[in-house]
Amino acid sequence: MKNSGKRLVSVLEGQTVSPPPVWLMRQAGRYLPEYRELRARAGSFWTMCNDPDMATEITLQPIRRFGFDAAIIFSDILTVPFALGRKVTFEESVGPRLEPVSSADGLERDPAIWRQKLSPAYETLKKVRAALPAETTLLGFAGAPWTLATYLAAGRGGDEQKAAKLWGYRDPESFGVLLDLLGDCVAAHLIAQIEAGADAVQIFDSWASGLPADVFTRWVIAPTKRIVENVRAAKPDAKIIGFPRAATLQGYERYARETGVNALSVDTSAPVDWMAKLDVPVQGNLDPLLLVTGGDGLARAVDGLVEKMRGRPFIFNLGHGVLQETPPDHVAALVARLRS
Ligand code: CP3
C-alpha cells in the first residue's frame, strides 16, 4: 500500500476506515505525569520545544501509553513568529508573550534564516519517524497567518484578536503584507516538515471565530488557500488538515470548499448531523470536558459520534486540545471504547 498502512493517511485520501483513526490535539502535555517530570527537569516549555531529543521523547510519550494512530510533533505555533525575528517567552500560568509588532517592516524575510530557526522541528520529525511504528501517521503543523497575526499584533494570546482586527481595519494594505509574509514562512515550514518525514500537516487557525463573513474570506480563507497552493506546488501529494476553530457552519463549509485542504477539523459546537453531510473528510469533535468527566457520559458521546460518522471518512479527535486536568485513564478508556 502506498501509504504503508497508515490508517489516518487513508482517511485523508478520502477512504472510510473503521474503527476511525484517533489522535488528540495536545495529546502530549501537562495531563501526563511523565511530561510534568521532564518539564520540571527542563525548566521551560520553550526549552523543550527547541531541544529535539526532549521534543522527541515528549512526542512519543502518548504514543507509548495509548497507541494513537498519529503522533504530532511537540512544538508550538509561535515558532513562526520566532523565525521572523520576534522574541517569544512562555510565562508560567500566564501563557505566551512576544514582542508585539505594528508593521511587517522589521520582520525577517530570509528563508535560510527561517529554516535555521525552525530546524529543531525538522530534527524532531526525523527522530520521531525513526522511533515510530510504521503504521503510525506522523503529523507536522503550523499556525495559520490570521491566528499568528493576532499574537504578533497583541503580543499575547487570550481574547486579544482586537489588536489584529483594529490593524486590519485601519490599514488593510500593511496588514495584508503581514499576512503574506506569515503565509510565506508557514508554507516554507510545512514543506520542510514534509521533507523531514511528516505524512500530513495541520494548519491551526485557533482564532477564526467572530469575523464578519467578508473578513473571514480575506484573513482566513485566502491566506490558507495561498499556503495550500504553495505547499502543493512543491509537494503535489501533500496531505493537509485545516482547523479554522469555531468558524460558523457556513464558514466551515466555505473553508473546506475553497482552501483545498484534504480534511476539515471542527470544534465542539459543530452538530454531528451536519458533519456527516460534508463532502470532505472530517476530524473532531468530542468536547475535551467529557474527557475530564469520563464514565458513561464519555462512553455515550464516543459511541454517538462514531455511529453518526459510520461510513464516512472520519478522524476521531477532540473539538480542541486535551485539558490539563484530564485523567490519563479516561484517555485510555476512550481509545479502548473506539477499538472495541
Ligand atoms: O497537540 C500537540 O500535542 C502538539 C503540540 C502543540 C502545542 N501547542 C504544545 C503546547 C501544538 C499543536 C500547539 C499549537 C498551539 N500553540 C496553538 C493552536 C492550537 C490551540 O490550542 O488553539 C496555539 C494557540 C498555541 C499557542 C500556545 N502555546 C498557548 C496559547 C499556550 C499556553 C496555553 C497553555 O495551555 O498553557 C501554549 C503552550 C503549550 N503549547 C503547551 C503545550 C503542551 C503547554 C506548555 C506547558 O506549560 O508545559
Side-chain angles (χ1 to χ4, degrees):
M1 208 189 297
K2 185 163 152 260
N3 68 39
S4 51
K6 297 190 179 96
R7 305 169 77 250
L8 194 145
V9 174
S10 298
V11 174
L12 297 178
E13 288 167 346
Q15 296 169 46
T16 299
V17 174
S18 181
V22 56
W23 70 281
L24 305 178
M25 291 187 263
R26 286 280 177 93
Q27 62 192 18
R30 286 171 296 191
Y31 76 107
L32 291 177
E34 57 269 38
Y35 173 87
R36 292 196 299 269
E37 194 195 308
L38 196 62
R39 161 91 195 262
R41 275 192 276 140
S44 91
F45 164 71
W46 197 241
T47 303
M48 298 193 300
C49 278
N50 288 296
D51 180 317
D53 287 316
M54 282 194 237
T56 298
E57 169 57 23
I58 296 164
T59 303
L60 294 170
Q61 284 174 347
I63 306 302
R64 286 192 203 110
R65 225 187 223 263
F66 307 115
F68 289 123
D69 292 285
I72 184 163
I73 54 153
F74 190 77
S75 181
D76 200 82
I77 64 166
L78 297 176
T79 54
V80 162
F82 173 71
L84 295 179
R86 308 316 287 174
K87 204 171 150 232
V88 178
T89 56
F90 281 83
E91 284 167 33
E92 197 62 51
S93 60
V94 182
R97 284 283 179 277
L98 27 83
E99 300 169 282
V101 300
S102 51
S103 145
D105 287 352
L107 297 176
E108 181 60 59
R109 280 162 194 277
D110 180 353
I113 305 250
W114 299 343
R115 198 183 169 85
Q116 182 244 319
K117 289 199 154 171
L118 293 165
S119 63
Y122 314 140
E123 285 308 306
T124 302
L125 281 160
K126 287 181 198 151
K127 284 175 185 278
V128 173
R129 181 76 276 168
L132 209 59
E135 67 278 13
T136 308
T137 299
L138 179 55
L139 298 173
F141 71 90
W146 161 247
T147 286
L148 294 175
T150 69
Y151 285 95
L152 275 167
R156 61 175 71 198
D159 192 28
E160 297 286 345
Q161 301 97 296
K162 206 175 174 182
K165 274 183 154 182
L166 289 173
W167 178 353
Y169 289 156
R170 278 190 185 123
D171 189 352
E173 205 165 309
S174 90
F175 193 63
V177 173
L178 175 70
L179 291 179
D180 280 351
L181 180 61
L182 285 165
D184 290 344
C185 187
V186 166
H189 189 33
L190 295 177
I191 292 165
Q193 289 183 71
I194 293 167
E195 284 171 352
D199 298 302
V201 291
Q202 176 154 323
I203 299 174
F204 287 89
D205 221 341
S206 301
W207 299 116
S209 62
L211 294 171
D214 58 324
V215 176
F216 182 81
T217 304
R218 283 202 302 280
W219 297 350
V220 173
I221 293 189
T224 304
K225 179 169 191 268
R226 185 167 168 269
I227 290 168
V228 172
E229 283 169 358
N230 288 339
V231 171
R232 294 253 170 78
K235 304 278 159 196
D237 291 334
K239 300 287 179 293
I240 305 171
I241 304 168
F243 181 39
R245 182 164 71 89
T248 60
L249 298 190
Q250 195 192 39
Y252 274 136
E253 285 170 15
R254 292 193 39 233
Y255 180 101
R257 231 178 11 245
E258 295 171 27
T259 60
V261 294
N262 298 84
L264 180 70
S265 193
V266 299
D267 76 287
T268 301
S269 70
V272 64
D273 294 316
W274 168 85
M275 288 161 60
K277 284 190 208 126
L278 289 171
D279 53 13
V280 286
V282 185
Q283 171 175 279
N285 74 335
L286 189 84
D287 192 334
L289 285 166
L290 282 166
L291 209 45
V292 174
T293 53
D296 286 348
L298 173 64
R300 273 196 307 274
V302 170
D303 293 353
L305 194 49
V306 170
E307 189 48 44
K308 296 236 178 159
M309 294 307 289
R310 197 180 298 285
R312 306 263 162 195
F314 176 56
I315 299 164
F316 197 99
N317 206 318
L318 304 177
H320 202 189
V322 176
L323 296 162
Q324 190 180 348
E325 59 270 41
T326 304
D329 284 355
H330 294 179
V331 177
L334 161 74
V335 174
R337 186 97 192 167
L338 274 172
R339 292 181 178 160
S340 68

